[in-house]
Amino acid sequence: MTENKLLNKIKEGYGKYESAIKKFVYTDFYLILVCACVFVGWVSKCAPLGITLAVVLACITLLGADDILPLTVNLFSAVLLVYSYNFSDYTYLWPLAFPLGICLIVFMIKNGRHKFRPGKMLLPLMVVAYVMLIGGCGYAIKDDFIRAFPDFLLLGLGVPIFYILYNHFLKRDPQRDIPLYFSKTMMYIGLVMCFQLLTVIILSKKPITSWHDNVWDVGWSNRNGLATYMIFTCGMTAYLSTRYRQGWIYLAIGLFQYVCLIMTFSRGAIIFGVISGILVFIFTIVKAPNKKIHILYISFIALACLIIYVILHKDINEMIKALIGRGIGDSGRIKLFKEAWELFKAHPIFGVGKGYVGTGTPTNEIGIYWFHSTFFQVIASMGIVGLMAYVYYYWARLKILFSNIKNSFNLFVFAVWIGFEGYSMINTGTFVAYPCMALVITMTLLLERTQTDFSGYVTPYNCSTPLGAKIASAGGLKSYKANKKNSLSK
């Protein structure tokens, strides 16, 4: 066999591989496979198994896909592999970074040969990053800047870089039903988190009456971080109920996730999660293609919940009592808010910087002092300059959201953000680079790209294919067939 023939054979084989992968990664089976591997790695507490499987699946996708969208499940489920805070459980697997890095380079070279477009959120993100860097000027000492630098790399630079890469490698196709695929991804990730929480609760063997005293920890986060992430997945799952004829399935799965969110016993997340959930379920009715059937679904689910309550009323009542037993204390937040306000009054222009170490010990893993509020964290750490930067950032984000607020996806994202931003006003979500802010900025980019109102029932899930795109744009299989029949008759 000549060298040219061999090269042609290799090209032909790789072409078939790419074609197969491009179809496979847009299926539910792929999403389930990735999430199943993540859960197996977590529940077995076997880092070599879980991380190796995750890397292999990511490499297979990187080598074959022509779009970053299918990698969303890999990117945002990876954190769920972490089952302990002991980094030595994972660091010895660093050689796996080499094949992953090589495959990433191949993906970038293969799919990055087009004009770079900065995107609408890049400038606001860079403004925030700059202000984050200069926060504390005139107050912070050298040690404070050094302490805050890792946080700046992750949040200040990491999130904009994530946005740049996602923006550049997200295939531009206005007819592709991106919201459908993204929401399915969030649904499966949400189910993994629910199973993790239930596993921790069951293995604890704690009676329901003492659940409020247990800070459920799944390894990668405690109950607050877990509940924060669930606010995203619950809403996106419920969105799917407006896209499929079997909408009751997604309503039930969404409700299951909201119940799990409540079982975290994270009070703030429950309050804002419920507010977000009420909006979500209202929007499912507003955007349901068949409102009568949809309301019937909700009625059946409500009846099923009532039956479950009758059967398990003792346990459910105990859980409610345990939740009430947590009380409505501020957990020291009022003291932190007062401290932030005093710091702002003393250093109003640039604040005291992200490297400030306060009177208490509410720091994260890299030593940043938490004020447990987006507003108070900004004014204390970055002062008036920081507040202006964040006003600009939120204005840019909300402008994208409200430019097409009547679209189904925009409405559900709005409901999710109400929950996330509301909770972040009394917690740390806005300053957690991954997964929180990476997910927020990804959703913003999807809103930026999705101008079409993808609503109505869609039969084929793989809407990245030309056929799927045509059916999606026609408003469903029935409409597509009718249009095709009309065109043929002409």
Side-chain angles (χ1 to χ4, degrees), residues 181-472:
Y181 186 88
F182 176 77
S183 299
K184 270 287 183 72
T185 300
M186 288 294 103
M187 179 186 73
Y188 288 120
I189 291 175
L191 286 173
V192 173
M193 289 191 287
C194 288
F195 295 148
Q196 287 181 334
L197 174 65
L198 293 175
T199 301
V200 169
I201 291 174
I202 292 169
L203 293 180
S204 73
K205 298 180 180 178
K206 300 286 185 181
I208 295 175
T209 50
S210 68
W211 282 6
H212 65 285
D213 290 326
N214 292 275
V215 181
W216 305 125
D217 197 316
V218 293
W220 58 271
S221 179
N222 61 20
R223 63 186 171 203
N224 291 334
L226 182 64
T228 301
Y229 205 164
M230 281 184 177
I231 290 174
F232 289 96
T233 64
C234 294
M236 291 297 96
T237 301
Y239 162 76
L240 292 168
S241 69
T242 68
R243 304 302 312 280
Y244 288 92
R245 294 186 184 279
Q246 302 79 17
W248 66 271
I249 296 173
Y250 301 101
L251 283 172
I253 296 174
L255 182 61
F256 169 67
Q257 291 189 35
Y258 277 117
V259 170
C260 288
L261 189 157
I262 292 172
M263 290 173 66
T264 64
F265 281 74
S266 175
R267 292 169 302 176
I270 291 172
I271 292 169
F272 289 101
V274 168
I275 293 171
S276 175
I278 291 171
L279 286 174
V280 162
F281 277 92
I282 290 173
F283 291 155
T284 63
I285 297 172
V286 171
K287 287 298 181 178
N290 190 326
K291 291 179 175 54
K292 290 181 180 178
I293 294 294
H294 196 82
I295 292 172
L296 188 62
Y297 287 157
I298 293 176
S299 300
F300 280 135
I301 290 172
L303 179 61
C305 290
L306 180 61
I307 293 171
I308 292 171
Y309 174 75
V310 170
I311 297 172
L312 302 174
H313 68 279
K314 290 184 178 179
D315 291 334
I316 294 173
N317 289 343
E318 290 293 343
M319 189 178 80
I320 293 172
K321 287 179 183 177
L323 181 59
I324 295 172
R326 286 212 68 207
I328 54 173
D330 59 65
S331 298
R333 281 174 171 77
I334 299 300
K335 182 181 178 182
L336 287 170
F337 298 165
K338 288 180 179 178
E339 181 182 356
W341 184 250
E342 292 301 320
L343 290 171
F344 172 65
K345 288 195 296 183
H347 308 278
I349 306 300
F350 294 106
V352 295
K354 290 294 290 296
Y356 167 81
V357 177
T359 56
T361 56
T363 58
N364 66 3
E365 289 77 9
I366 55 176
I368 300 302
Y369 191 79
W370 291 128
F371 288 101
H372 284 266
S373 169
T374 301
F375 175 75
F376 287 106
Q377 191 83 43
V378 169
I379 63 170
S381 302
M382 292 165 268
I384 293 172
V385 175
L387 191 60
M388 292 171 62
Y390 270 87
V391 166
Y392 174 45
Y393 157 77
Y394 277 107
W395 173 81
R397 242 180 74 194
L398 294 177
K399 184 180 178 183
I400 293 170
L401 173 69
F402 285 103
S403 62
N404 292 298
I405 193 59
K406 291 183 180 179
N407 288 3
S408 297
F409 187 59
N410 292 55
L411 278 177
F412 283 88
V413 170
F414 171 68
V416 167
W417 284 358
I418 288 289
F420 171 71
E421 296 293 348
Y423 184 38
S424 294
M425 282 297 173
I426 56 171
N427 204 47
T428 59
T430 307
F431 292 93
V432 176
Y434 173 78
C436 291
M437 291 314 299
L439 184 54
V440 166
I441 209 62
T442 298
M443 295 173 78
T444 307
L445 177 61
L446 298 185
L447 290 172
E448 185 180 333
R449 291 288 194 88
T450 307
Q451 300 300 313
T452 305
D453 184 9
F454 290 102
S455 58
Y457 299 133
V458 179
T459 301
Y461 174 59
N462 182 5
C463 288
S464 64
T465 63
L467 175 61
K470 289 177 182 178
I471 294 172

Side-chain angles (χ1 to χ4, degrees), residues 134-156:
I134 65 173
C137 279
Y139 171 84
I141 59 175
K142 180 181 177 182
D143 288 345
D144 291 338
F145 280 108
I146 293 173
R147 188 183 303 110
F149 194 68
D151 184 70
F152 169 73
L153 290 177
L154 289 171
L155 185 61

Side-chain angles (χ1 to χ4, degrees), residues 20-41:
I21 290 299
K22 287 174 186 177
K23 293 177 182 178
F24 174 62
V25 294
Y26 286 100
T27 63
D28 282 55
F29 180 72
Y30 173 72
L31 298 175
I32 293 170
L33 180 62
V34 173
C35 289
C37 289
V38 167
F39 182 74
V40 168

